[in-house]
Structures are given as structure tokens and as C-alpha cells.
Amino acid sequence: MKRTQWLVISAVLFVAASTLAQMPAAPVAPAAPLGNQPLNRVAKFLAAKYLPSTVLAEAAVNKLNNSRTDQQTSAPSGSAGSTTITDRAGIPDLLALAVERGAITKTTSGSSVTLTTTPYAWLTAFGMRDTAANWKANAGARRVSLASTFASEDVTKGDFSSFASGEVKVVVAGNRSARDFVIANMPGVVGLAQQITDADENQFTNCTAPLGAALGGDLTMKAFVGINDLDPVFANYTPDDATLTVLRQCVSTINLQAAASRAVSANLPKIVESFLKNQNRLQFSIAGLFQRDPVLSDFYTFKLLTDYNPAAGNNATVADTANPSRSANLNAQIDFNRRHTATDGTQLHGIRAWSLEGAANSARFAERRLDGTLAIKATRAKEAGAKTTAIAQARLNIHLNGTMTVPVGLSYARRATDTIKKGFQINVGVSALLDELLSDAGAR
Amino acid sequence: MIQKKGTQFYTLTPNDGFGVRVTATGTSFFVPASIDITVLSLVDAITFNVTPAMLNGAGSLHQLNLHCFFTPPTGSYTIEVLDAFGTVIDTIMATLPAGQLSGTQMYYQLILFIV
């Protein structure tokens, strides 16, 4: 089997294994649920012992997802093995990995591995903590991304033979990371926090204070010191009627806490997403790219990238739980040949080609597992007699989980050029946005 | 001086105050908090000082509530309890298990008993 195919298979297995290691069969209850907190635990124990018909509702967890669709996690368009004809203006916060088998451009292998990272990720990898203060202080390091694509099947020809392209991208305006904003200052969050503190206040007034008074100091101290085994603590304890009433109130207050928690967890992500949606109608980036081309000449690319969110600014709350609205991209690109002669001696222009790209991106659908893109790219080479080549693509992104995505695309090029294949091509790959994994690792 | 006597359980005298500090790493800071019926406005990585005047006399039980919401569902919160001299007497690390979604909270109830 060819070397690049082994590389592709190994990378896919690595990403799949990492994802499977992180992906449980079903959401797991958090380690600090409502019912296991000290006061709630004592109250539940006593209620279960002396109020046998009582059933405490467990706090439900989970809602919502953070799901940006503006981040570029795959190989830049035009790179060997790329599965996309249009680029996104956004960048990962920390790191992304993509393994792709694209067939839009002409390469001997058609497979590639792309790593995309930011200087901020390197700072946190080498000791800087990913705190809010450092996040703010290093905003510049988070606006730059570096991407490298490795695709060459033949690594015997010269230094760094496997390196196919490298890109530097700068987000000039319109960052869409939730961490750039203070949640407590967002509209509607004060009300959510009030629900939580009201439930806690209710618990203290109707459970904690009267239960402490009913148990007395000595028994209270023993209960909380011996929290892991309350049976011997209360072996000889018999509550009076007033205490039984307090225990019923405790059950009620715990249920109210759980309800408040569910309400906030359901609405908080909506508020955050609505806020972000309204903040960033337009995202604008610039990128510089270097691409290897053993046939004609290596070349440089300069790109202007825009991402437009038409829903921003209408102040409407998202109807669905954190489903990003549809968006559009409009990009322009110019390529410059590195050499003036091709490998076969043909004279080359300094300017290699111009390109214009447009794309329409859907919001997530099918329980937020899918999103789609329709794109078109028009390229015109500089050489005399060259005609404009148009490529159209329909792509479906299958989100396996919060980290891993499988892009599947069908592209069609009207005519062939030196670097673009004519006709229909199927493009597949695997991309992983590793921000969550790295952020969790850095927090420990 | 505040003393740790058990998991999330502390004792202190009527003249003792203490501090609580919550630091977010890798996630946006959102921690609604209260002690008894008093709302606390916590700021990321800044110590909030609870004074003796905010607590009752000997024999009273107090409840400090900390709700650590994860948006996005990454990173962790570090909860530190400090004595009056700023010495950390207890540290609690809150990290979401894998598979949890944005908006999930980790709730911590710290019980204070005045002796």
C-alpha cells in the first residue's frame, strides 16, 4: 500500500480512536449533581428514611450545544486533497485536524492531512493557563491561524517533500467565539441567575435553617462530618412532627432547585447564541498561502474571505436551541507563480490566476447533525487564451459529535485546466475541531 | 479561623470571616452564587470576602451556593476557600464529564457551621 494511503489510514484511526475515547454512549450525569450536595444529601437521607413515599426528582442536565459553522477546519480550497472549493473566514480557537480525500484538484494521490492551529494554542501548550485573563490579554494570538497540508506521495524529492501547502490566516473583524463576551452582561442572563438564586434562597429559608435548628448543633456537626455514612449518625434519631414538616419542605425546595437548573440550562445557550448572532453580521479575514506544484511552479495565493450572517442585528432570539443561522461566503483570490518557467521550460506569467468564490451555508438540521453548503468558484488563468473555469459543489457536513465531522461533497468542473479536473468528483474526509479536548487537557 | 471539617463542610467562630474565589479556565465565566438569602456577585479569579456580619451567631448553619455553568462545555472551574489571611484551606475542581452540552452546570453547596 502506498505511503500516503498508510498516512491517511493512520490519521483516520488516530482521530477515530481519540473521538471514541471521548464519546460516551449517552450523556453521563455530572459528578456534582444537585442531590449529592451536603445539605441536599442529608435532607434526602432523612426524607427517604422517615418519609418513605417521597420521591425526589433528579436534576436533569444538558441542553444545547455550541456549534459554530464559520470555522475552517479542513485543507484550504485549492490545496491538494481539499474537499472544498470555498474557504470559511473563521479559525479554530486552538487546533483542528483534517484528513481528506478530495478530487477537485489534480494530484497523484488525492489524499491529505491538514493541521490548523493558532499561536494561542502554542502558548497554552507550553504552560500558559487558558484563563479568562490570558484569553483577553492574548487576543492577537487568537486571531491568527497557521495551517499546513501534507499530501505528497513522493517524499524523496528534496527537503520537506511531503509538505503540500501552508497558510496564514488573520481574522480582521467579526470574531464569533463565545469566550470573548461576558455572559453575565448579556440580555436576559440576569433573569436566569435570579431563578437560580431564588431557588437557593427558598431552600435556605424553608429547609436549611429550620433543619439545622431541628437537628441541633451536635447532630448537625456529626451529619456533615460523617456525610458518607449517615446510617450510624441517625441510628437513634426520631424526628418530631415539626421536623417531618421541614423534611417535606426540603424535598420541595430540592425539586425547585432542579427545575430552576433545567430552565437555566435550557435557556442560557439560546441567550449566548442570540447574542453572538447579533454581534457578528460580517466576518472578514485575509489569508496568505504557499502551495507546492511540481508540474508548473509553486505559487503564492492571497485571499480575502468574508462570512455574512444575515440574521445578525434583528435582535430575535433563536427559535431552536443554539442553531446557528444560515450564512454566506464571498471570497476573492489571486495566485502568483513562484518561478517564471515551468519544469518543462514553458514561460509562466507572474500572476497565475484569479478566482472568485461564493457559497450559501445552511443552519444545522436533522437534530443538528447535518449542515450543507452550495458553492461555486470561478477561476481564470492569466495565460493567453485561457478561459474561465467554473466549479460547483454541493457538500454535506455530517457532525458525528461535538469534535468530529465528516464532509461529503459532490463537485463538477465544466472544463479541465492544468490543476483542475473536469467532470464530477466525490470528495470525502474527516475533520476534528480539537479545541474542546485541548481546553480540557489544559485545565487539569 | 475557618476550618475544613468534611467534604464541603467548614466550621468557624462568630468572629471569623473567609474568602471564596472561583476561577474559570477554558470556559466562559458564569457563576450565580449566594450565601443564605444574599446574592454574591462573583468575578472571575477575584476573592469575595464574606464578613462575620454576613453570618449569624454560634450554632447557626449557613449555605454558600455556587452554580458553575459551562458555556462552551470545556475547561474547568477552580473553587477556592480562603481563611482571613488569604490562605487556601480547600480547593474544589469542577470539570464537566465528557458528552455534556453547553449550559450544563456543576452545583456546589458549601455548608458553614458557626461554633
Side-chain angles (χ1 to χ4, degrees):
Chain A
M1 191 178 286
K2 297 176 179 176
R3 188 196 304 267
T4 304
Q5 288 174 321
W6 275 116
L7 178 65
V8 170
I9 291 170
S10 299
V12 169
L13 288 174
F14 167 73
V15 171
S18 300
T19 304
L20 285 172
Q22 294 288 332
M23 189 171 67
V28 178
L34 245 65
N36 282 352
Q37 296 307 297
L39 188 281
N40 293 356
R41 208 164 155 185
V42 171
K44 280 175 58 183
F45 172 85
L46 292 172
K49 185 172 182 176
Y50 299 107
L51 301 174
S53 62
T54 301
V55 176
L56 289 175
E58 292 294 338
V61 291
N62 305 339
K63 281 303 184 281
L64 226 299
N65 206 341
N66 60 320
S67 52
R68 296 170 58 183
T69 57
D70 63 299
Q71 292 165 302
Q72 179 82 29
T73 58
S74 59
S77 69
S79 298
S82 176
T83 58
T84 182
I85 65 172
T86 54
D87 290 319
R88 299 293 176 90
I91 61 176
D93 284 343
L94 297 175
L95 179 69
L97 167 70
V99 178
E100 299 171 282
R101 186 165 182 83
I104 300 170
T105 57
K106 289 180 180 176
T107 64
T108 54
S109 68
S111 301
S112 67
V113 175
T114 301
L115 290 172
T116 309
T117 186
T118 64
Y120 184 79
W122 285 96
L123 290 173
T124 55
F126 287 103
M128 187 179 79
R129 289 188 70 201
D130 186 17
T131 62
N134 286 332
W135 179 268
K136 272 188 183 175
N138 294 279
R142 292 186 287 104
R143 287 183 168 272
V144 179
S145 77
L146 309 166
S148 299
T149 300
F150 302 89
S152 173
E153 178 184 314
D154 184 350
V155 296
T156 62
K157 296 181 179 175
D159 297 333
F160 306 108
S161 304
S162 65
F163 174 75
S165 67
E167 180 189 73
V168 176
K169 183 188 290 182
V170 178
V171 178
V172 177
N175 187 36
R176 292 176 182 165
S177 176
R179 294 184 61 189
D180 280 314
F181 304 95
V182 178
I183 291 180
N185 295 338
M186 294 180 184
V189 170
V190 171
L192 289 186
Q194 189 70 47
Q195 291 184 43
I196 290 283
T197 53
D198 283 350
D200 290 340
E201 177 184 336
N202 175 59
Q203 183 182 56
F204 178 77
T205 303
N206 294 305
C207 175
T208 309
L211 185 61
L215 295 179
D218 198 42
L219 194 54
T220 298
M221 177 76 87
K222 287 178 181 175
F224 287 111
V225 170
I227 194 78
N228 291 321
D229 187 6
L230 293 172
D231 279 313
V233 175
F234 292 100
N236 299 315
Y237 175 72
T238 302
D240 57 20
D241 287 344
T243 305
L244 291 176
T245 300
V246 171
L247 291 178
R248 291 190 189 92
Q249 288 169 187
C250 286
V251 170
S252 173
T253 63
I254 293 172
N255 288 341
L256 288 173
Q257 279 187 317
S261 174
R262 284 193 295 272
V264 173
S265 293
N267 289 295
L268 179 62
K270 285 185 192 179
I271 289 176
V272 172
E273 284 293 338
S274 294
F275 184 85
L276 293 178
K277 173 176 69 69
N278 291 328
Q279 291 298 311
N280 296 292
R281 174 170 280 185
L282 183 65
Q283 187 172 96
F284 174 63
S285 302
I286 57 175
L289 193 71
F290 170 75
Q291 296 197 67
R292 285 268 174 89
D293 182 356
V295 177
L296 293 178
S297 165
D298 297 345
F299 61 97
Y300 302 97
T301 297
F302 178 70
K303 296 182 181 180
L304 298 175
L305 307 166
T306 63
D307 193 288
Y308 177 69
N309 171 18
N314 62 17
N315 289 321
T317 304
V318 289
D320 190 7
T321 51
N323 196 356
S325 58
R326 62 198 183 285
S327 65
N329 301 111
L330 184 63
N331 307 327
Q333 166 182 332
I334 183 167
D335 305 328
F336 301 91
N337 282 313
R338 188 181 178 202
R339 296 193 302 268
H340 294 294
T341 54
T343 50
D344 63 357
T346 308
Q347 285 295 112
L348 299 172
H349 291 280
I351 296 176
R352 183 185 177 110
W354 300 280
S355 298
L356 198 62
E357 307 168 356
N361 310 298
S362 75
R364 289 214 184 173
F365 57 96
E367 297 185 358
R368 307 184 70 258
R369 288 290 191 186
L370 305 174
D371 69 77
T373 296
L374 293 174
I376 187 164
K377 180 172 184 175
T379 301
R380 189 181 185 97
K382 181 68 169 59
E383 66 217 31
K387 294 183 179 179
T388 301
T389 301
I391 311 172
Q393 185 185 53
R395 191 172 77 246
L396 191 68
N397 292 315
I398 303 169
H399 301 282
L400 301 182
N401 54 33
T403 299
M404 204 161 153
T405 299
V406 174
V408 180
L410 177 67
S411 62
Y412 174 75
R414 205 156 61 94
R415 62 169 61 88
T417 67
D418 291 329
T419 55
I420 298 173
K421 303 175 189 176
K422 180 182 176 180
F424 286 98
Q425 304 293 342
I426 294 176
N427 312 288
V428 297
V430 172
S431 67
L433 183 60
L434 302 177
D435 290 350
E436 183 174 335
L437 296 178
L438 290 183
S439 187
D440 287 347
R444 297 191 184 97
Chain B
M1 197 69 65
I2 185 170
Q3 293 182 325
K4 179 180 177 180
K5 294 294 187 183
T7 303
Q8 293 167 221
F9 178 58
Y10 314 88
T11 60
L12 56 169
T13 71
N15 296 320
D16 290 330
F18 69 97
V20 60
R21 181 168 62 214
V22 183
T23 303
T25 304
T27 190
S28 295
F29 182 87
F30 180 58
V31 183
S34 62
I35 184 164
D36 300 342
I37 61 171
T38 303
V39 173
L40 306 183
S41 297
L42 298 184
V43 176
D44 188 19
I46 303 294
T47 302
F48 186 100
N49 291 310
V50 178
T51 63
M54 297 171 69
L55 306 172
N56 292 329
S60 62
L61 199 63
H62 298 276
Q63 179 175 331
L64 174 61
N65 303 292
L66 301 168
H67 299 266
C68 301
F69 283 88
F70 287 79
T71 310
T74 58
S76 68
Y77 284 95
T78 304
I79 299 168
E80 296 170 298
V81 179
L82 304 92
D83 65 18
F85 295 108
T87 303
V88 176
I89 66 159
D90 195 14
T91 302
I92 301 166
M93 182 76 75
T95 306
L96 273 187
Q100 301 303 310
L101 302 180
S102 183
T104 303
Q105 71 153 327
M106 299 290 279
Y107 168 50
Y108 293 91
Q109 199 180 58
L110 278 58
I111 303 299
L112 306 147
F113 188 55
I114 312 299
V115 295

mmCIF file of all heavy atoms in Angstrom, chain B residues 14-39:
data_model
loop_
_atom_site.group_PDB
_atom_site.id
_atom_site.type_symbol
_atom_site.label_atom_id
_atom_site.label_comp_id
_atom_site.label_asym_id
_atom_site.label_seq_id
_atom_site.Cartn_x
_atom_site.Cartn_y
_atom_site.Cartn_z
ATOM 1 N N PRO B 14 -17.911 32.985 65.554
ATOM 2 C CA PRO B 14 -18.698 34.177 65.187
ATOM 3 C C PRO B 14 -17.852 35.363 64.736
ATOM 4 O O PRO B 14 -18.360 36.266 64.070
ATOM 5 C CB PRO B 14 -19.464 34.505 66.473
ATOM 6 C CG PRO B 14 -19.562 33.204 67.195
ATOM 7 C CD PRO B 14 -18.292 32.481 66.885
ATOM 8 N N ASN B 15 -16.569 35.354 65.080
ATOM 9 C CA ASN B 15 -15.723 36.485 64.689
ATOM 10 C C ASN B 15 -14.917 36.236 63.411
ATOM 11 O O ASN B 15 -14.136 37.083 62.992
ATOM 12 C CB ASN B 15 -14.737 36.818 65.818
ATOM 13 C CG ASN B 15 -15.463 37.274 67.067
ATOM 14 O OD1 ASN B 15 -16.456 38.014 67.006
ATOM 15 N ND2 ASN B 15 -14.963 36.845 68.235
ATOM 16 N N ASP B 16 -15.116 35.070 62.817
ATOM 17 C CA ASP B 16 -14.331 34.728 61.633
ATOM 18 C C ASP B 16 -15.016 35.157 60.348
ATOM 19 O O ASP B 16 -16.231 35.030 60.211
ATOM 20 C CB ASP B 16 -14.098 33.208 61.566
ATOM 21 C CG ASP B 16 -13.147 32.722 62.626
ATOM 22 O OD1 ASP B 16 -12.263 33.498 63.026
ATOM 23 O OD2 ASP B 16 -13.295 31.555 63.053
ATOM 24 N N GLY B 17 -14.213 35.641 59.413
ATOM 25 C CA GLY B 17 -14.675 35.813 58.036
ATOM 26 C C GLY B 17 -13.880 34.848 57.172
ATOM 27 O O GLY B 17 -12.979 34.153 57.641
ATOM 28 N N PHE B 18 -14.222 34.769 55.914
ATOM 29 C CA PHE B 18 -13.480 33.900 54.994
ATOM 30 C C PHE B 18 -13.641 34.425 53.584
ATOM 31 O O PHE B 18 -14.413 35.366 53.337
ATOM 32 C CB PHE B 18 -13.957 32.441 55.099
ATOM 33 C CG PHE B 18 -15.359 32.213 54.562
ATOM 34 C CD1 PHE B 18 -15.552 31.748 53.269
ATOM 35 C CD2 PHE B 18 -16.470 32.457 55.361
ATOM 36 C CE1 PHE B 18 -16.829 31.540 52.778
ATOM 37 C CE2 PHE B 18 -17.744 32.256 54.873
ATOM 38 C CZ PHE B 18 -17.929 31.798 53.577
ATOM 39 N N GLY B 19 -12.877 33.837 52.684
ATOM 40 C CA GLY B 19 -12.956 34.265 51.290
ATOM 41 C C GLY B 19 -13.307 33.102 50.381
ATOM 42 O O GLY B 19 -13.032 31.946 50.698
ATOM 43 N N VAL B 20 -13.945 33.414 49.267
ATOM 44 C CA VAL B 20 -14.228 32.399 48.239
ATOM 45 C C VAL B 20 -13.802 32.983 46.891
ATOM 46 O O VAL B 20 -14.077 34.146 46.590
ATOM 47 C CB VAL B 20 -15.716 31.968 48.241
ATOM 48 C CG1 VAL B 20 -16.639 33.135 47.963
ATOM 49 C CG2 VAL B 20 -15.944 30.852 47.245
ATOM 50 N N ARG B 21 -13.107 32.156 46.112
ATOM 51 C CA ARG B 21 -12.585 32.609 44.811
ATOM 52 C C ARG B 21 -12.868 31.531 43.773
ATOM 53 O O ARG B 21 -12.560 30.365 43.985
ATOM 54 C CB ARG B 21 -11.083 32.866 44.904
ATOM 55 C CG ARG B 21 -10.444 33.372 43.605
ATOM 56 C CD ARG B 21 -9.034 33.875 43.862
ATOM 57 N NE ARG B 21 -8.168 32.823 44.359
ATOM 58 C CZ ARG B 21 -7.177 33.022 45.236
ATOM 59 N NH1 ARG B 21 -6.935 34.227 45.719
ATOM 60 N NH2 ARG B 21 -6.426 32.021 45.639
ATOM 61 N N VAL B 22 -13.474 31.924 42.660
ATOM 62 C CA VAL B 22 -13.790 30.981 41.581
ATOM 63 C C VAL B 22 -13.087 31.453 40.312
ATOM 64 O O VAL B 22 -13.234 32.606 39.910
ATOM 65 C CB VAL B 22 -15.319 30.890 41.338
ATOM 66 C CG1 VAL B 22 -15.618 29.861 40.262
ATOM 67 C CG2 VAL B 22 -16.036 30.526 42.632
ATOM 68 N N THR B 23 -12.320 30.552 39.710
ATOM 69 C CA THR B 23 -11.552 30.893 38.507
ATOM 70 C C THR B 23 -11.967 29.968 37.364
ATOM 71 O O THR B 23 -11.979 28.755 37.522
ATOM 72 C CB THR B 23 -10.045 30.729 38.762
ATOM 73 O OG1 THR B 23 -9.672 31.533 39.876
ATOM 74 C CG2 THR B 23 -9.241 31.148 37.538
ATOM 75 N N ALA B 24 -12.322 30.562 36.242
ATOM 76 C CA ALA B 24 -12.690 29.781 35.058
ATOM 77 C C ALA B 24 -11.467 29.583 34.172
ATOM 78 O O ALA B 24 -10.713 30.524 33.941
ATOM 79 C CB ALA B 24 -13.793 30.479 34.271
ATOM 80 N N THR B 25 -11.286 28.369 33.685
ATOM 81 C CA THR B 25 -10.202 28.067 32.752
ATOM 82 C C THR B 25 -10.796 27.334 31.555
ATOM 83 O O THR B 25 -11.411 26.293 31.723
ATOM 84 C CB THR B 25 -9.132 27.191 33.421
ATOM 85 O OG1 THR B 25 -8.662 27.840 34.593
ATOM 86 C CG2 THR B 25 -7.967 26.958 32.474
ATOM 87 N N GLY B 26 -10.665 27.904 30.370
ATOM 88 C CA GLY B 26 -11.143 27.234 29.173
ATOM 89 C C GLY B 26 -12.638 27.296 28.950
ATOM 90 O O GLY B 26 -13.167 26.601 28.083
ATOM 91 N N THR B 27 -13.343 28.097 29.699
ATOM 92 C CA THR B 27 -14.784 28.268 29.511
ATOM 93 C C THR B 27 -15.163 29.681 29.952
ATOM 94 O O THR B 27 -14.414 30.327 30.680
ATOM 95 C CB THR B 27 -15.586 27.218 30.308
ATOM 96 O OG1 THR B 27 -16.966 27.282 29.904
ATOM 97 C CG2 THR B 27 -15.497 27.455 31.811
ATOM 98 N N SER B 28 -16.304 30.141 29.482
ATOM 99 C CA SER B 28 -16.744 31.480 29.886
ATOM 100 C C SER B 28 -17.236 31.457 31.325
ATOM 101 O O SER B 28 -17.914 30.533 31.743
ATOM 102 C CB SER B 28 -17.873 31.955 28.962
ATOM 103 O OG SER B 28 -17.407 32.113 27.649
ATOM 104 N N PHE B 29 -16.921 32.506 32.079
ATOM 105 C CA PHE B 29 -17.268 32.563 33.497
ATOM 106 C C PHE B 29 -18.732 32.950 33.671
ATOM 107 O O PHE B 29 -19.165 34.011 33.225
ATOM 108 C CB PHE B 29 -16.367 33.584 34.196
ATOM 109 C CG PHE B 29 -16.601 33.700 35.688
ATOM 110 C CD1 PHE B 29 -15.936 32.868 36.566
ATOM 111 C CD2 PHE B 29 -17.496 34.632 36.201
ATOM 112 C CE1 PHE B 29 -16.148 32.960 37.948
ATOM 113 C CE2 PHE B 29 -17.723 34.732 37.562
ATOM 114 C CZ PHE B 29 -17.036 33.892 38.441
ATOM 115 N N PHE B 30 -19.506 32.069 34.304
ATOM 116 C CA PHE B 30 -20.884 32.404 34.687
ATOM 117 C C PHE B 30 -21.207 31.582 35.916
ATOM 118 O O PHE B 30 -21.455 30.376 35.828
ATOM 119 C CB PHE B 30 -21.865 32.107 33.548
ATOM 120 C CG PHE B 30 -23.299 32.442 33.905
ATOM 121 C CD1 PHE B 30 -23.658 33.727 34.299
ATOM 122 C CD2 PHE B 30 -24.285 31.480 33.850
ATOM 123 C CE1 PHE B 30 -24.968 34.038 34.638
ATOM 124 C CE2 PHE B 30 -25.602 31.783 34.189
ATOM 125 C CZ PHE B 30 -25.936 33.053 34.580
ATOM 126 N N VAL B 31 -21.184 32.221 37.082
ATOM 127 C CA VAL B 31 -21.349 31.525 38.361
ATOM 128 C C VAL B 31 -22.338 32.297 39.235
ATOM 129 O O VAL B 31 -21.929 33.141 40.050
ATOM 130 C CB VAL B 31 -19.992 31.374 39.089
ATOM 131 C CG1 VAL B 31 -20.171 30.588 40.387
ATOM 132 C CG2 VAL B 31 -18.978 30.682 38.199
ATOM 133 N N PRO B 32 -23.644 32.025 39.084
ATOM 134 C CA PRO B 32 -24.588 32.612 40.054
ATOM 135 C C PRO B 32 -24.284 32.050 41.430
ATOM 136 O O PRO B 32 -24.109 30.839 41.596
ATOM 137 C CB PRO B 32 -25.952 32.140 39.535
ATOM 138 C CG PRO B 32 -25.719 31.769 38.109
ATOM 139 C CD PRO B 32 -24.306 31.279 38.036
ATOM 140 N N ALA B 33 -24.218 32.941 42.422
ATOM 141 C CA ALA B 33 -23.831 32.496 43.758
ATOM 142 C C ALA B 33 -24.635 33.235 44.808
ATOM 143 O O ALA B 33 -25.132 34.350 44.573
ATOM 144 C CB ALA B 33 -22.333 32.728 43.971
ATOM 145 N N SER B 34 -24.756 32.602 45.975
ATOM 146 C CA SER B 34 -25.456 33.246 47.085
ATOM 147 C C SER B 34 -24.997 32.596 48.377
ATOM 148 O O SER B 34 -24.501 31.464 48.383
ATOM 149 C CB SER B 34 -26.977 33.096 46.932
ATOM 150 O OG SER B 34 -27.351 31.728 46.950
ATOM 151 N N ILE B 35 -25.146 33.334 49.466
ATOM 152 C CA ILE B 35 -24.948 32.764 50.792
ATOM 153 C C ILE B 35 -26.226 33.049 51.574
ATOM 154 O O ILE B 35 -26.612 34.208 51.761
ATOM 155 C CB ILE B 35 -23.681 33.310 51.477
ATOM 156 C CG1 ILE B 35 -23.467 32.610 52.816
ATOM 157 C CG2 ILE B 35 -23.713 34.823 51.634
ATOM 158 C CD1 ILE B 35 -22.075 32.794 53.387
ATOM 159 N N ASP B 36 -26.888 31.965 51.956
ATOM 160 C CA ASP B 36 -28.205 32.056 52.601
ATOM 161 C C ASP B 36 -29.180 32.770 51.663
ATOM 162 O O ASP B 36 -29.522 32.251 50.622
ATOM 163 C CB ASP B 36 -28.108 32.745 53.955
ATOM 164 C CG ASP B 36 -27.194 31.999 54.900
ATOM 165 O OD1 ASP B 36 -26.922 30.804 54.643
ATOM 166 O OD2 ASP B 36 -26.741 32.594 55.900
ATOM 167 N N ILE B 37 -29.595 33.980 52.010
ATOM 168 C CA ILE B 37 -30.532 34.701 51.141
ATOM 169 C C ILE B 37 -29.876 35.905 50.488
ATOM 170 O O ILE B 37 -30.558 36.756 49.908
ATOM 171 C CB ILE B 37 -31.785 35.153 51.923
ATOM 172 C CG1 ILE B 37 -31.389 36.102 53.053
ATOM 173 C CG2 ILE B 37 -32.530 33.934 52.482
ATOM 174 C CD1 ILE B 37 -32.590 36.759 53.718
ATOM 175 N N THR B 38 -28.552 35.950 50.543
ATOM 176 C CA THR B 38 -27.816 37.091 49.991
ATOM 177 C C THR B 38 -27.101 36.684 48.709
ATOM 178 O O THR B 38 -26.305 35.742 48.706
ATOM 179 C CB THR B 38 -26.773 37.603 51.005
ATOM 180 O OG1 THR B 38 -27.443 37.939 52.216
ATOM 181 C CG2 THR B 38 -26.034 38.822 50.455
ATOM 182 N N VAL B 39 -27.395 37.397 47.635
ATOM 183 C CA VAL B 39 -26.742 37.111 46.357
ATOM 184 C C VAL B 39 -25.308 37.642 46.388
ATOM 185 O O VAL B 39 -25.049 38.740 46.877
ATOM 186 C CB VAL B 39 -27.516 37.776 45.193
ATOM 187 C CG1 VAL B 39 -26.758 37.628 43.879
ATOM 188 C CG2 VAL B 39 -28.907 37.153 45.067
#
